[in-house]
């Protein structure tokens, strides 16, 4: 095509229909009012043509920039048919991350340290990046898209973009400078322009091919426990408590490295008050949408309000921000933490704020609860024995995680359980967030956070 710009306007007109069907699109809760192109860069000319686009999606009062990788061919191969966006000027246009013929271009540009238009492709100082590899997408992500190159590299493309350095890139750089052993090595990045400011578009890391997902390991352990209902948990072949303890140590070490690299502060009364008000606000919003939460509201408010009475100082620092078993990998040498981007629904300012490290602890404790109870979903009637086994597994692994964390934690934190009121409030706040998520996306899971709220607020955990 002589002028790729001829594709842009007709292509953008297809996006209000196409975007809601994409797994990574975060605006499925309301219709799209309009889509406007903010910037387009030709990354590869010819056939196939490769375009990088940033578009602004308007949904009533919500305005969100998204990153797209779009390709166009004279003839679209059958295997790319599911990626089709539209046929513009007689050429099929499609979402390009599934096309290995073009995804290798991104790695090549990072290896070259190239500038293309307003985009900068860089490898980290001292890192060696080899091009010439084809990229294939992994299917487990929900809010971003990652491409694996030859079992050597993994490139994450941040779908929702914002001005400034993405926390995932910033914290990986800080941890790498500290020699942290609990992250995959950072190798490169892609930066673009958004409203005249630099914006992180992607980051390249070493791909760890021998790693096992923490959620998969934990849920396998739960299945082993359920299969031997008479054996004590420590005698079941798949007991996970040792791994939970090592994971707790790994998380504490990451917190230590982040504190050394980027510092910490102590929360003052004004900050604590803002946190409590935010918890109440979330509760108000979710309780209005989910009637089953209303009966727990008084106990939740009491737990949140206790934070105003804390006597001990509350250290704050940069943290992971969205820690759960799906964000950790077990390798032959230990645990790795992934995705320091924070909660996808939060703003960049919220994800970049200093917070208590116990937020990460609370997130992992919630994840142990989910792993324990996912086996019970869909059961016909409640089996008290299986329910008790699930609770037994969760309590054992929650305790092991806290014990591991305490071994490596800073003196100001120590054992997370020694900060009972703070940890309880943070875990309950996370559970309220889960209620909102499950109500909107997986109603069959709603009972998991609701049951946890009942137990935690009554002192059962």
């Amino acid at each position: 095509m002589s002028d790729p710009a001829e594709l842009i306007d007709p292509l953008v007109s297809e996006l209000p229909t196409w975007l809601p069907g994409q797994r990574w699109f975060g605006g499925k809760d309301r219709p799209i009012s309009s889509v406007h192109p903010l910037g387009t860069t030709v990354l590869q000319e010819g056939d196939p043509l490769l375009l990088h686009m940033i578009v602004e999606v308007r949904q009533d009062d919500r305005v969100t920039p998204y990153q797209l990788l779009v390709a166009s061919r004279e003839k679209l191969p059958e295997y790319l048919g599911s990626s089709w966006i539209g046929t513009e000027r007689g050429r099929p246009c499609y979402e390009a991350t599934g096309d290995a013929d073009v995804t290798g271009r991104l790695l090549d540009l990072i290896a070259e340290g190239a500038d293309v238009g307003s985009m900068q492709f860089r490898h980290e100082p001292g890192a060696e990046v080899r091009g010439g590899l084809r990229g294939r997408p992994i299917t487990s992500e929900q809010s971003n898209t990652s491409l694996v190159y030859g079992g050597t590299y993994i490139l994450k493309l941040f779908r929702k973009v914002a001005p400034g350095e993405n926390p995932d890139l910033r914290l990986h750089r800080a941890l790498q400078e500290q020699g942290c052993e609990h992250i995959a090595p950072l190798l490169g990045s892609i930066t673009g322009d958004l409203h005249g400011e630099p914006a992180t578009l992607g980051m390249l890391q070493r791909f760890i091919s021998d790693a096992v997902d923490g959620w998969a390991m934990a849920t396998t352990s739960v299945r082993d426990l359920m299969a031997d209902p008479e054996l004590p948990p420590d005698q079941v072949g798949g007991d996970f408590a040792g791994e939970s303890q090592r994971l707790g140590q790994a998380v504490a070490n990451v917190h230590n490295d982040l504190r050394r690299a980027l510092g910490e502060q102590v929360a003052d009364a004004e900050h604590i008050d803002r946190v409590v008000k935010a918890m109440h606000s979330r509760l108000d919003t979710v309780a209005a949408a989910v009637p089953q939460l209303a009966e727990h509201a008084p106990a939740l408010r009491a737990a949140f309000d206790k934070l105003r009475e804390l006597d001990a100082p509350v250290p704050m620092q940069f943290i992971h921000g969205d820690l759960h078993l799906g964000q950790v990998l077990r390798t032959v040498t230990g645990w790795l933490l992934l995705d320091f981007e924070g909660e996808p629904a939060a703003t960049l300012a919220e994800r970049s704020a200093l917070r208590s490290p116990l937020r990460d602890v609370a997130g992992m404790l919630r994840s142990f609860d989910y792993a324990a109870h996912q086996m019970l979903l869909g059961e016909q009637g409640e089996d008290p024995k299986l329910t008790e086994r699930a609770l037994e597994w969760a309590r054992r692994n929650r305790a092991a995680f806290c014990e591991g964390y305490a071994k490596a934690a800073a003196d100001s934190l120590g054992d997370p359980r020694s900060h009972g009121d703070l940890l309880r409030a943070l875990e309950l706040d996370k559970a309220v967030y889960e209620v909102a998520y499950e109500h909107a996306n997986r109603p069959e899971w709603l009972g998991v956070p609701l049951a946890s709220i009942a137990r935690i607020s009554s002192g059962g955990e």
Side-chain angles (χ1 to χ4, degrees):
M1 169 167 282
S2 59
D3 185 4
E6 295 178 8
L7 289 175
I8 304 306
D9 288 342
L11 179 62
V12 169
S13 69
E14 305 279 3
L15 296 180
T17 303
W18 179 79
L19 281 168
Q22 307 314 300
R23 186 176 185 181
W24 44 260
F25 182 63
K28 297 182 177 68
D29 58 335
R30 64 181 77 177
I32 294 175
S33 306
S34 63
V35 178
H36 301 282
L38 297 180
T40 304
T41 304
V42 179
L43 297 180
Q44 177 174 294
E45 296 185 356
D47 188 41
L49 172 74
L50 179 61
L51 301 176
H52 179 274
M53 301 176 66
I54 296 180
V55 297
E56 188 173 73
V57 180
R58 293 183 177 273
Q59 297 174 281
D60 299 327
D61 59 342
R62 179 195 295 164
V63 180
T64 309
Y66 282 91
Q67 163 179 203
L68 306 179
L69 200 65
V70 178
S72 176
R73 292 174 179 260
E74 292 290 347
K75 293 183 179 180
L76 186 65
E78 184 176 345
Y79 77 94
L80 292 172
S82 60
S83 302
W84 179 81
I85 300 174
T87 300
E88 316 304 341
R89 302 293 191 268
R91 292 175 61 105
C93 297
Y94 58 97
E95 208 286 322
T97 54
D99 185 354
D101 289 338
V102 299
T103 52
R105 178 64 175 157
L106 300 175
L107 181 65
D108 292 345
L109 290 169
I110 293 175
E112 296 165 10
D115 291 342
V116 184
S118 62
M119 298 178 67
Q120 298 179 335
F121 297 81
R122 298 287 185 267
H123 44 77
E124 294 296 295
E128 294 186 6
V129 178
R130 175 171 57 93
L133 300 175
R134 293 156 63 88
R136 57 176 177 83
I138 60 174
T139 59
S140 58
E141 283 188 301
Q142 293 188 345
S143 56
N144 296 305
T145 300
S146 289
L147 302 168
V148 174
Y149 293 87
T152 303
Y153 309 113
I154 182 167
L155 173 64
K156 180 194 291 186
L157 299 173
F158 299 106
R159 289 297 190 166
K160 187 186 295 186
V161 295
E165 189 176 37
N166 190 287
D168 204 3
L169 180 60
R170 181 184 183 189
L171 297 190
H172 269 93
R173 281 176 170 158
L175 288 167
Q176 192 147 289
E177 288 175 0
Q178 293 294 316
C180 182
E181 300 178 349
H182 300 292
I183 57 169
L186 176 67
L187 302 174
S189 63
I190 305 173
T191 303
D193 178 87
L194 181 61
H195 302 306
E197 296 184 47
T200 305
L201 301 177
M203 57 182 283
L204 183 73
Q205 291 180 271
R206 181 73 60 191
F207 181 68
I208 311 299
S209 59
D210 63 352
V212 181
D213 175 78
W215 174 261
M217 291 181 66
T219 52
T220 298
S221 170
V222 175
R223 284 194 292 273
D224 289 346
L225 184 67
M226 297 296 189
D228 283 310
E230 304 302 327
L231 279 180
D234 60 348
Q235 296 181 25
V236 174
D239 183 33
F240 193 64
E243 290 298 341
S244 296
Q245 186 177 58
R246 285 184 282 273
L247 177 57
Q249 289 180 269
V251 172
N253 282 324
V254 168
H255 285 164
N256 294 341
D257 286 338
L258 285 173
R259 187 180 64 259
R260 282 191 288 267
L262 300 171
E264 68 175 344
Q265 297 177 5
V266 174
D268 57 21
E270 183 179 347
H271 178 86
I272 296 292
D273 187 62
R274 287 198 302 270
V275 169
V276 173
K277 286 179 178 177
M279 290 176 170
H280 280 292
S281 178
R282 190 201 297 271
L283 175 57
D284 291 340
T285 301
V286 179
V290 186
Q292 300 96 309
L293 186 60
E295 65 179 282
H296 304 293
L300 287 165
R301 294 191 193 283
F304 298 157
D305 287 337
K306 273 195 169 186
L307 296 187
R308 294 192 174 103
E309 304 170 9
L310 293 176
D311 294 327
V314 178
M316 299 189 304
Q317 63 170 82
F318 286 97
I319 62 172
H320 182 283
D322 188 30
L323 191 61
H324 53 77
L325 286 163
Q327 302 279 40
V328 296
L329 295 176
R330 183 64 163 92
T331 72
V332 293
T333 58
W335 284 100
L336 301 182
L337 276 63
L338 313 174
D339 299 332
F340 287 74
E341 190 179 358
E343 287 185 356
T347 66
L348 180 61
E350 291 169 336
R351 291 184 279 123
S352 302
L354 302 185
R355 288 167 289 176
S356 167
L358 293 185
R359 280 194 180 273
D360 282 347
V361 174
M364 189 58 72
L365 297 184
R366 295 295 313 121
S367 195
F368 284 124
D369 191 64
Y370 262 79
H373 288 86
Q374 56 84 33
M375 282 285 294
L376 305 181
L377 295 173
E379 291 287 329
Q380 297 298 317
E382 183 175 320
D383 185 327
K385 193 167 187 178
L386 289 181
T387 300
E388 182 52 39
R389 288 293 267 179
L391 287 171
E392 192 175 22
W393 186 95
R395 289 170 181 146
R396 176 173 172 77
N397 285 278
R398 287 161 59 96
F401 178 85
C402 288
E403 288 163 7
Y405 190 95
K407 285 186 176 181
D411 292 340
S412 58
L413 280 174
D415 192 327
R417 293 166 295 186
S418 66
H419 306 273
D421 288 341
L422 177 56
L423 184 60
R424 185 177 303 109
L426 293 172
E427 192 174 353
L428 286 170
D429 183 53
K430 182 70 172 179
V432 171
Y433 169 88
E434 292 164 358
V435 168
Y437 179 86
E438 306 301 5
H439 179 260
N441 298 281
R442 303 185 299 187
E444 69 276 13
W445 287 68
L446 186 57
V448 175
L450 285 173
S452 295
I453 287 171
R455 287 195 304 273
I456 299 169
S457 58
S458 65
E461 290 184 2

